[in-house]
Amino acid sequence: MCGIVGVVRFDGRPQERAVLERMTDALAHRGPEGRGLHLAADGGISIGLGHTRLKVVDLSEAAGQPMSSDDGAVWVVFNGEIYNFRELRASLEQRGYRFRTSSDTEVLLRCYEAEGERCVSRLEGMFAFAIWDARARRVLLARDRVGKKPLFYVLTPALFAFASE
């Protein structure tokens, strides 16, 4: 069990770090073993991602979140478990993708890099995640088909916000 939060602002205002910290702190009970934030702004859009971590699959600090692509253009916050991540990883490695962790989070990130939003159809497990793609200037929010992992969101003219609680 981990916690994920995020805010994407469309109104030109920067995402306030203190607000994102409070949102993330509210989920500390979902992931008492780690905490991470990512804030960015790009042409009138600002984004903040937060994560609280319960270490299960990869216990190393390198597997912490938010996790970024090698070039820093794609970021993910993830809650859950991808049951078929080993098979997906092997397939991605055959296609030339390299990994720095043994986490299912990084497999999700690389799968998105390889297949875009189609990656969701390849995932087996219980999960909720958000991926910020700075190149495409979009956020992909998804959860498992059964809805095992909670995910709540709100959309207003000024912002899109989400949280796992």
Side-chain angles (χ1 to χ4, degrees):
M1 182 168 69
C2 295
I4 63 172
V5 299
V7 178
V8 181
R9 298 196 65 93
F10 314 117
D11 60 3
R13 293 179 51 204
Q15 175 55 44
E16 295 179 43
R17 182 177 193 85
V19 170
L20 190 63
E21 286 176 343
R22 284 195 306 273
M23 290 172 67
T24 304
D25 288 347
L27 298 180
H29 63 283
R30 295 184 61 89
E33 298 173 331
R35 178 178 181 273
L37 303 174
H38 172 69
L39 289 104
D42 179 20
I45 295 175
S46 63
I47 184 160
L49 299 173
H51 184 265
T52 61
R53 183 171 182 209
L54 180 65
K55 296 178 182 179
V56 178
V57 175
D58 184 334
L59 306 182
S60 73
E61 292 305 313
Q65 297 180 48
M67 182 180 285
S68 72
S69 60
D70 294 336
D71 65 0
V74 180
W75 289 81
V76 63
V77 286
F78 168 70
N79 172 34
E81 184 178 354
I82 299 171
Y83 303 144
N84 64 331
F85 82 95
R86 287 180 183 87
E87 294 84 6
L88 291 171
R89 179 182 175 130
S91 171
L92 290 162
E93 286 175 329
Q94 288 177 345
R95 293 164 64 184
Y97 286 87
R98 300 289 171 244
F99 293 81
R100 58 185 184 262
T101 73
S102 59
S103 71
D104 52 354
T105 304
E106 188 177 14
V107 171
L108 168 61
L109 179 64
R110 302 289 182 220
C111 194
Y112 175 82
E113 287 180 302
E115 301 179 17
E117 65 187 45
R118 292 185 313 272
C119 73
V120 178
S121 67
R122 302 212 37 216
L123 305 176
E124 297 172 11
M126 57 177 183
F127 55 84
F129 66 83
I131 294 177
W132 166 246
D133 185 337
R135 281 182 231 120
R137 296 184 61 177
R138 73 173 183 187
V139 65
L140 171 64
L141 191 65
R143 73 174 191 181
D144 61 88
R145 293 155 197 80
V146 177
K148 177 87 174 168
K149 290 297 180 181
L151 188 59
F152 301 92
Y153 66 91
V154 62
L155 176 63
T156 73
L159 62 82
F160 173 72
F162 65 88
S164 55
E165 206 173 277

